């Protein structure tokens, strides 16, 4: 019996899928996903400093992000030009954000 190129490709795709879907890897992804969601919900309402490109720093109250984490919703955004009551920051513009007193209750 000879194997065709299509059979080899199908076999390789099955191996990749099976390796990706091992119970250990699924459990690890679920753990990391839950930890990420706990961090995001834990900083809602906290004051955050956002470090953006072009050496720009802004400050705002973190209110959340969209499901794909492509946009961050903030309140009272303090910019060099003034305060914006409500704003959306693109995560592609954010280098990093800092939240001080993350364990403090409000």
């Amino acid at each position: 019996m000879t194997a065709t190129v299509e059979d080899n490709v199908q076999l390789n795709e099955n191996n990749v899928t099976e390796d990706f879907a091992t119970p250990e890897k699924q459990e690890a992804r679920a753990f990391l996903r839950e930890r990420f969601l706990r961090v995001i919900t834990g900083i809602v309402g906290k004051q955050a400093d956002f470090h953006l490109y072009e050496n720009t720093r802004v400050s705002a109250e973190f209110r959340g992000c969209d499901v794909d984490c492509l946009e961050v919703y903030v309140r009272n955004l303090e910019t060099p030009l003034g305060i914006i009551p409500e704003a959306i920051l693109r995560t592609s513009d954010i280098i990093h954000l800092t939240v001080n007193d993350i364990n403090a209750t409000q």
Side-chain angles (χ1 to χ4, degrees), residues 6-106:
E6 288 179 359
D7 291 336
N8 287 337
V9 169
Q10 183 67 28
L11 186 60
N12 288 337
E13 288 176 355
N14 287 340
N15 286 342
V16 170
T17 303
E18 289 173 8
D19 185 44
F20 182 76
T22 62
E24 295 84 15
K25 289 187 179 182
Q26 286 180 348
E27 187 174 331
R29 283 193 302 275
F31 172 78
L32 293 172
R33 185 171 38 253
E34 180 182 356
R35 180 178 261 181
F36 172 75
L37 292 173
R38 287 183 186 273
V39 168
I40 293 297
T41 57
I43 63 173
V44 170
K46 305 281 186 184
Q47 192 67 20
D49 297 319
F50 296 88
H51 302 267
L52 311 174
Y53 287 100
E54 302 294 328
N55 202 24
T56 304
R57 290 188 167 88
V58 296
S59 180
E61 177 188 339
F62 183 88
R63 296 305 302 158
C65 63
D66 65 344
V67 70
D68 295 321
C69 204
L70 297 175
E71 297 174 333
V72 174
Y73 308 111
V74 296
R75 184 176 290 157
N76 298 324
L77 178 66
E78 299 173 16
T79 71
L81 297 176
I83 296 177
I84 300 169
E86 306 254 334
I88 297 174
L89 302 175
R90 298 178 299 203
T91 54
S92 60
D93 294 335
I94 301 171
I95 298 172
H96 68 89
L97 68 99
T98 304
V99 179
N100 294 326
D101 299 326
I102 197 165
N103 292 325
T105 59
Q106 294 181 346

